[in-house]
Amino acid sequence: MEPALIGARLTSAAIGPLLKKLLVSEGPGAGLTGGEGKIRLSSLVSFRGEKRTLTEKDVRKLAATLVERSLAGAGGRPFPADETEAVTETLAKTLLSLGDLDMDDVQAVRLGHTALARRLRAAAPAPDGLSTDSVRYLESMTEWACLHILEFFTGRSTFVARSLVEQTRGQNELIAKTDELIRRTPRQDTRDAEFEDRYLAHLARKHGRLTIYGIDLHHSPEDWPLDLAYLSLEATGKETTGASGARPRTRDGEPAAGHGQLHSVPADRALARHPRILLRGVAGSGKTTLVQWLAVTAAEASDGTVPFVLPLRTLTRHGERLPPVDRLLSAVGCPLTPPEGWADRVLTAGRGIVLIDGIDEVPERERERTRRWLRDLISAYDGGNRWLVTSRPSAVGDDWLATDRFTELTLSAMSRSEVTTFVRRWHAAGGPAAAPYEQQLVDALRTTPELARLATNPLMCGLICALHHDRRGFLPRGRKALYDAALAMLLTRRDRERDMAAPYGVALGEAPQIQLIQRLAYWLTLNGRTQMDREHARSIVTEAVPAVPEAAAHGDPDSVFTHLLHRSGLLREPTPDTVDFVHRTFQDYLAAKHLVDRWDIGVLIDHAADDQWEDVVRMAVAHSRPRECAEIFRELLSAADAAAEPRTRLRLLVVAATALDHATEVAPEVREEILARTAEVIPPRTPEEARELALVGPTVLGLLAPPEALSDEQALMSVITATAVTHDASIPYLVRFAEHPLLNVRSQLIWAWPRFDTRAYAEQVVARLDPTELNYTVREDHHAAELERLGLRPARLDIGAGVSPDVAASLIARCDPTLLVLRRAEPSLDLSVLSTLSRLESLELDLPEHTTWTSEQLPASAPLTSLALSSWPQDGLGTLSHLGRLTALSLWDAPVLGPEQWRDLAGLPLLNTLAIDQEDLLYGWPEDLVMPGITGLRFTHGDRPPLALLVGAFPSLEELDLDCHTEEAVDVSVLAGLERLSWLSSDGSLAGTEHLPARVQLFAQAEAIRRRPSEA
């Protein structure tokens, strides 16, 4: 029987007086003067103690009365009649157990009647032999009785006072216990903050020093502070949009003016603009050094960001699975143990800077698995985190991470000015002993073409500086000779110059050390690794020592291995149990030597199309004798003939052509055949092929056709090749394209300016360019100075972040452009010069986060119709209304729009073209807002774009460009609801196009449009 049913039969008036007899009458006060300070239940019942008024016999009579009254009234009996006496006895025992409970009245009330009833039944003897109905009746009756007993407790005049006192005491006790708990167990955020302080300090120490090759003679330290040695390089990539906003292509499918042109940004500031970057760079170009710099600057920034440095060569050295988030630090050998779940909390909060170094150092067969691992990480932590992935240029294909919204950038070859800066910093770090050689080397780099060709990246520049100093101003010619000299310096001269004896009891000449170390290089290269277990490296050396007499004479192979590891200058221990080379270039060079010594030509040819083996092939040719060179070249041509894929064939031909310059002697007929076969793939068909072809070097320039013999597309690919041959020999060929009618050809020419001598290129190429629709890219102050010297006033300017504020302001004022792209890296800048412009029609402001500026700084009197912003004006988007002619607005890289910003945009009277991200619609669109004035839209989206919402928001759309960042086909059938749509473009896969009206012109990848079978 439920308590409610018993309550219907036993009213409070009937049961109350009966149950009240179980309790003693109350006394005055709060009950605080007693010895215990609490009123126990045993002192409240009337059948216990010296002053009891009820006997146990009386309680049994009371129980019988309660049972009798509960049976009266309508309804059947709740339990069998023959169990009445047993039920009564059990109820009496249950009520008597009230005096046995070890609690006070306040605690009883806190329990509640249901829990108190359970305590009573547990304290009383269990019912014996009763039916299920009787047991249920007793449970219900006990709960009902407890409900009334607690009501009596709370009605006592002393209870309220006592309960308040008890509550106060309880709160004080809880506070004291909580304080003690906090003292003994620090809060999670406290533990996180303490760990982050230690972790960031560890990163700053670990990555805060950089080896500058060759500054290790005499008593110089082996590494130098990163902030002294680091040189900021440029990274280049394609623009995803421009000031033109929503229309990146013309109706003929060509890139529109300003779209798709190459832009550059300082590599160390690229993450401030692009949250996800795939950065390509050749060996020695500074990718790992950049990762170090980003880690250290983030560690020292104190802005809450946390860098994770993840070298893939370490994570994959055993071929094991890539680690989950909670093992990222331990997997890279970090000695610190984070609080449980710390990495997850950092990345969930969007505070991470994830630096993944060396996709190219993962074996090709494992790169897809690596991409899946990366995608899983991004999917799980798709917040405000920033991601950088580095790779050699040809390790992964174009757009390898494009669908994951990665911007692809390439580290540029060092410009002449950057090489000069590097040389001066190197000599400054070298101290007074290096100073006499500084200007001598600067002059040699400017006047010696062969030397300048080698000085294209920090590694080679460092080696050249070291060797120039070591040889008192005399340098070897050619790459192999340069490496040979570097090895001689590292292996034998370093310890001798530093007056060091044999610290490990081993003294070896250059040749035996090379014989042993090249075995390690060969094993790593053959197995697609750049890192190996220390024990395995030791076993390789131990096995080889008996075959090298000078090493065997020492008798202890372990000492020989220790000597090579610590004194050769070529090997290092990134962790206590691993070994690798100080740079991949040395590994490739020595692996090639060992391969030639063994004459494993079959292995070489089998791997020649592998991007990890490109330098190995070239160095193998350099190590080979003339007859061996001829055989390698013939085998490469045969492999190209047998290649099933055009890309493999091209790569093999390019590898063969680039190796020509490394051979000491090549038969004329062999050279002619290679060049003739290379000419078969000229002009290149894609940018990727063009860059591959440029690796041949200046030789390829003689194979490129003149502009009059090329189609527009062929001309563009040929110019890409020639501008990638970073040698002044390219300039005479490039000059012939200065007036080419195709805008992209001329855009490539102006973009490549920093790759060549500033003045020579300005005079011969820049001064002759047809300026029609051309954005003049100005990356540094000396480019602006050349424009002024030549009297050029471009109407369209693209000013990079490397141009100082004063020079930028002067250039803008002098040119008064019609189109301006202004990129700034520092949040503090003065935009007031913009308000003076009178001709400006299109403006793109690429500003860092937290830049403070107002719309009043924009030229209200200029005919400004198109505006692209990466940040909002401080006075709000609505203030743009003073730009009376504004029709196009691009906010694709700006903060996500909210309802207030959308209403501001809706108030711009002439606005008809927008460029936005899907987040702007998903998270900020007001439900009651419609913008019928928008007729053109560029819409950047990922998976499942909200096209239905787009149709409702912009019902008058005529032109729509979908900037796709997903591999899935996008169903565009809902766009049939746009009655005026006539033009649709996408760079991804489309489905449902058969539902669109015939008037809609489609501009997309032909294979990406999924049509009905009859239209295929």
Side-chain angles (χ1 to χ4, degrees):
M1 180 178 290
E2 297 297 326
L5 183 54
I6 292 178
R9 293 183 171 185
L10 284 174
T11 63
S12 295
I15 193 175
L18 293 175
L19 293 175
K20 192 172 183 179
K21 293 180 180 181
L22 294 174
L23 306 174
V24 298
S25 58
E26 62 176 314
L32 304 181
T33 59
E36 296 182 2
K38 293 184 179 181
I39 300 179
R40 314 305 296 178
L41 292 189
S42 58
S43 66
L44 292 176
V45 296
S46 59
F47 47 83
R48 292 283 177 90
E50 297 179 357
K51 298 181 180 182
R52 61 179 180 269
T53 57
L54 292 180
T55 65
E56 291 189 5
K57 183 177 181 181
D58 294 329
V59 174
R60 287 186 173 88
K61 288 182 179 179
L62 186 148
T65 303
L66 286 173
V67 172
E68 180 182 352
R69 291 185 181 182
S70 70
L71 298 178
R77 290 182 62 87
F79 57 85
D82 59 352
E83 295 184 3
T84 301
E85 184 176 349
V87 167
T88 300
E89 179 64 20
T90 302
L91 178 60
K93 291 178 180 179
T94 302
L95 295 175
L96 287 168
S97 66
L98 185 64
D100 297 327
L101 295 182
D102 185 19
M103 66 177 69
D104 58 42
D105 56 346
V106 175
Q107 291 172 328
V109 172
R110 193 176 296 149
L111 276 178
H113 73 282
T114 302
L116 180 62
R118 282 199 299 270
R119 292 283 188 94
L120 284 177
R121 290 194 296 270
D128 185 19
L130 293 180
S131 65
T132 302
D133 287 342
S134 295
V135 172
R136 288 178 178 172
Y137 169 81
L138 286 169
E139 291 175 353
S140 299
M141 177 57 79
T142 305
E143 288 187 20
W144 188 250
C146 286
L147 184 63
H148 280 270
I149 290 170
L150 295 183
E151 185 178 355
F152 295 150
F153 286 168
T154 58
R156 293 162 59 89
S157 61
T158 60
F159 178 80
V160 175
R162 289 195 63 260
S163 62
L164 289 175
V165 171
E166 289 298 321
Q167 182 179 7
T168 302
R169 285 175 176 171
Q171 288 176 343
N172 291 336
E173 183 179 356
L174 178 61
I175 291 171
K177 289 180 178 179
T178 302
D179 289 343
E180 179 65 14
L181 181 63
I182 291 174
R183 186 185 68 80
R184 295 184 180 183
T185 307
R187 294 184 307 174
Q188 187 67 58
D189 56 353
T190 302
R191 293 201 304 270
D192 284 359
E194 291 175 352
F195 172 77
E196 283 177 22
D197 288 343
R198 295 174 57 216
Y199 172 65
L200 295 177
H202 164 72
L203 284 183
R205 288 191 301 271
K206 178 177 180 180
H207 299 291
R209 300 189 70 81
L210 177 69
T211 297
I212 306 181
Y213 291 94
I215 308 185
D216 52 7
L217 306 177
H218 302 292
H219 301 289
S220 299
E222 295 185 352
D223 51 30
W224 294 81
L226 186 64
D227 55 0
L228 173 65
Y230 179 72
L231 177 68
S232 178
L233 299 177
E234 291 286 311
T236 58
K238 287 278 189 178
E239 287 282 18
T240 55
T241 189
S244 54
R247 296 187 57 181
R249 284 183 282 273
T250 66
R251 292 182 180 273
D252 297 327
E254 286 189 7
H259 178 75
Q261 298 189 44
L262 291 162
H263 76 285
S264 64
V265 62
D268 51 4
R269 299 171 184 170
L271 277 177
R273 176 178 179 183
H274 306 288
R276 300 178 187 177
I277 294 174
L278 172 60
L279 182 69
R280 302 175 189 266
V282 298
S285 61
K287 301 185 296 295
T288 300
T289 303
L290 173 64
V291 167
Q292 286 184 248
W293 179 259
L294 292 174
V296 171
T297 52
E300 296 175 346
S302 301
D303 60 358
T305 57
V306 178
F308 295 83
V309 181
L310 306 177
L312 289 173
R313 59 183 171 276
T314 300
L315 299 181
T316 62
R317 67 177 182 269
H318 297 301
E320 64 265 47
R321 293 181 64 85
L322 290 159
V325 165
D326 61 346
R327 292 200 303 107
L328 288 179
L329 297 194
S330 61
V332 297
C334 178
L336 304 179
T337 302
E340 184 177 356
W342 169 78
D344 173 77
R345 289 189 291 276
V346 169
L347 294 175
T348 299
R351 298 193 293 121
I353 299 179
V354 186
L355 307 169
I356 301 172
D357 188 27
I359 288 290
D360 55 286
E361 296 179 2
V362 177
E364 189 168 5
R365 63 183 178 277
E366 298 177 17
R367 289 176 192 166
E368 182 55 38
R369 177 167 63 92
T370 303
R371 177 161 62 172
R372 291 196 300 270
W373 168 77
L374 176 58
R375 284 176 169 170
D376 288 343
L377 280 180
I378 293 173
S379 175
Y381 301 103
D382 186 15
N385 300 302
R386 307 226 162 219
W387 306 78
L388 175 73
V389 180
T390 72
S391 173
R392 285 194 184 185
S394 55
V396 293
D398 288 348
D399 301 327
W400 194 64
L401 290 173
T403 57
D404 301 291
R405 299 192 181 189
F406 272 74
T407 299
E408 293 199 7
L409 300 176
T410 300
L411 274 177
S412 300
M414 294 173 69
S415 67
R416 296 292 179 87
S417 62
E418 288 168 339
V419 171
T420 300
T421 300
F422 183 98
V423 170
R424 297 198 185 283
R425 288 190 183 182
W426 191 98
H427 286 83
Y437 301 100
E438 177 183 322
Q439 191 58 46
Q440 181 183 355
L441 181 55
V442 170
D443 294 340
L445 286 166
R446 186 177 64 251
T447 59
T448 310
E450 289 185 0
L451 188 60
R453 284 176 55 194
L454 293 174
T456 58
N457 61 58
L459 171 67
M460 297 304 298
C461 284
L463 285 177
I464 289 170
C465 289
L467 290 169
H468 186 263
H469 177 276
D470 187 56
R471 293 175 166 233
R472 303 295 188 268
F474 295 95
L475 283 170
R477 289 177 173 268
R479 188 173 173 189
K480 179 181 180 296
L482 192 65
Y483 286 138
D484 286 339
L487 289 176
M489 180 183 67
L490 293 171
L491 292 172
T492 60
R493 295 180 59 101
R494 183 174 72 158
D495 283 351
R496 186 171 70 247
E497 294 274 358
R498 299 174 77 179
D499 299 322
M500 293 187 66
Y504 299 100
V506 175
L508 292 176
E510 177 184 344
Q513 291 187 78
I514 289 177
Q515 285 295 317
L516 295 172
I517 294 174
Q518 70 186 31
R519 286 169 164 80
L520 302 178
Y522 186 66
W523 186 93
L524 286 168
T525 302
L526 190 62
N527 288 277
R529 305 291 177 190
T530 57
Q531 195 173 89
M532 66 194 305
D533 286 344
R534 190 184 193 278
E535 185 59 30
H536 187 56
R538 189 194 65 79
S539 67
I540 291 175
V541 172
T542 299
E543 182 180 342
V545 163
V548 182
E550 190 175 334
H554 288 280
D556 183 8
D558 284 344
S559 296
V560 173
F561 172 69
T562 303
H563 169 81
L564 296 176
L565 186 59
H566 295 294
R567 302 308 320 153
S568 70
L570 293 175
L571 302 174
R572 64 174 186 169
E573 293 179 278
T575 66
D577 60 344
T578 60
V579 174
D580 66 2
F581 280 81
V582 294
H583 200 277
R584 174 69 179 272
T585 302
F586 290 122
Q587 176 185 319
D588 291 344
Y589 179 82
L590 291 174
K593 184 178 183 306
H594 190 68
L595 187 146
V596 171
D597 288 349
R598 291 165 51 102
W599 197 236
D600 285 340
I601 187 172
V603 174
L604 184 70
I605 301 304
D606 287 344
H607 291 84
D610 185 339
D611 63 271
Q612 290 189 331
W613 281 67
E614 290 175 357
D615 272 350
V616 178
V617 174
R618 297 180 188 113
M619 290 296 98
V621 169
H623 286 297
S624 298
R625 293 170 294 186
R627 185 175 298 176
E628 294 168 339
C629 281
E631 185 174 350
I632 291 175
F633 285 130
R634 291 192 185 98
E635 290 293 331
L636 286 171
L637 294 177
S638 297
D641 290 338
E645 297 182 0
R647 180 180 177 183
T648 303
R649 178 170 174 266
L650 173 66
R651 175 167 289 186
L652 288 168
L653 290 174
V654 167
V655 167
T658 57
L660 280 174
D661 285 346
H662 296 280
T664 55
E665 180 181 331
V666 182
E669 62 273 16
V670 174
R671 179 181 294 273
E672 289 173 6
E673 183 178 1
I674 291 174
L675 294 178
R677 296 289 299 278
T678 306
E680 295 174 6
V681 294
I682 297 175
R685 292 166 296 180
T686 67
E688 186 178 13
E689 289 184 4
R691 289 190 292 270
E692 289 264 5
L693 196 60
L695 296 174
V696 173
T699 304
V700 77
L701 297 172
L703 303 176
L704 297 174
E708 57 271 16
L710 299 171
S711 68
D712 285 351
E713 187 65 21
Q714 290 174 336
L716 176 59
M717 296 303 112
S718 297
V719 168
I720 290 175
T721 297
T723 54
V725 179
T726 54
H727 189 280
D728 286 350
S730 298
I731 294 179
Y733 179 77
L734 295 173
V735 167
R736 305 169 71 177
F737 293 84
E739 297 182 358
H740 198 280
L742 186 65
L743 174 61
N744 282 351
V745 168
R746 289 177 282 120
S747 296
Q748 180 70 25
L749 291 175
I750 191 66
W751 172 84
W753 188 1
R755 291 183 169 180
F756 302 94
D757 179 80
T758 303
R759 174 161 292 195
Y761 196 87
E763 293 175 347
Q764 298 180 55
V765 178
V766 177
R768 303 183 185 185
L769 285 171
D770 176 3
T772 306
E773 296 296 318
L774 178 63
N775 293 2
Y776 280 69
T777 305
V778 183
R779 293 194 202 169
E780 298 180 20
D781 287 356
H782 54 85
H783 296 131
E786 282 300 310
L787 291 178
E788 183 173 5
R789 185 180 70 85
L790 294 173
L792 299 177
R793 299 173 182 267
R796 300 169 68 92
L797 281 175
D798 185 339
I799 301 177
V803 180
S804 63
D806 290 344
V807 172
S810 174
L811 179 63
I812 292 170
R814 187 170 63 83
C815 294
D816 192 13
T818 60
L819 177 143
L820 175 63
V821 179
L822 182 60
R823 309 178 197 278
R824 298 287 84 190
E826 301 299 331
S828 57
L829 73 161
D830 183 9
L831 296 179
S832 59
V833 66
L834 300 180
S835 63
T836 66
L837 302 180
S838 61
R839 300 193 301 161
L840 192 63
E841 300 172 2
S842 180
L843 173 64
E844 179 178 343
L845 293 178
D846 185 0
L847 309 177
E849 295 182 26
H850 312 303
T851 301
T852 301
W853 65 283
T854 67
S855 61
E856 293 179 355
Q857 295 171 294
L858 302 180
S861 59
L864 185 61
T865 59
S866 179
L867 181 62
L869 302 174
S870 63
S871 65
W872 302 333
Q874 191 177 22
D875 46 357
L877 292 174
T879 59
L880 298 178
S881 59
H882 81 286
L883 302 174
R885 305 184 186 183
L886 187 65
T887 59
L889 181 62
S890 173
L891 299 170
W892 64 276
D893 201 25
V896 175
L897 295 172
E900 179 182 352
Q901 288 76 38
W902 272 117
R903 297 190 190 281
D904 286 343
L905 295 183
L908 299 179
L910 300 181
L911 189 67
N912 59 38
T913 304
L914 270 178
I916 58 172
D917 288 330
Q918 71 174 20
E919 287 80 3
D920 294 317
L921 278 185
L922 285 173
Y923 304 125
W925 183 260
E927 294 182 0
D928 60 339
L929 184 64
V930 177
M931 295 182 67
I934 301 299
T935 59
L937 181 69
R938 176 176 174 79
F939 190 60
T940 302
H941 68 85
D943 297 331
R944 296 182 295 277
L947 296 184
L949 178 57
L950 182 150
V951 170
F954 311 110
S956 303
L957 277 183
E958 299 174 5
E959 302 179 5
L960 174 61
D961 176 55
L962 298 176
D963 182 12
C964 176
H965 290 274
T966 177
E967 293 180 339
E968 301 297 324
V970 176
D971 186 352
V972 296
S973 57
V974 69
L975 299 180
L978 293 172
E979 297 180 355
R980 300 172 61 180
L981 186 67
S982 60
W983 188 81
L984 173 64
S985 71
S986 175
D987 52 5
S989 299
L990 299 180
T993 56
E994 66 272 15
H995 299 290
L996 300 180
R999 68 174 183 275
V1000 178
Q1001 300 182 60
L1002 293 175
F1003 296 89
Q1005 302 173 24
E1007 67 278 8
I1009 301 177
R1010 301 186 179 181
R1011 298 184 177 277
R1012 291 173 296 192
S1014 61
E1015 296 176 337

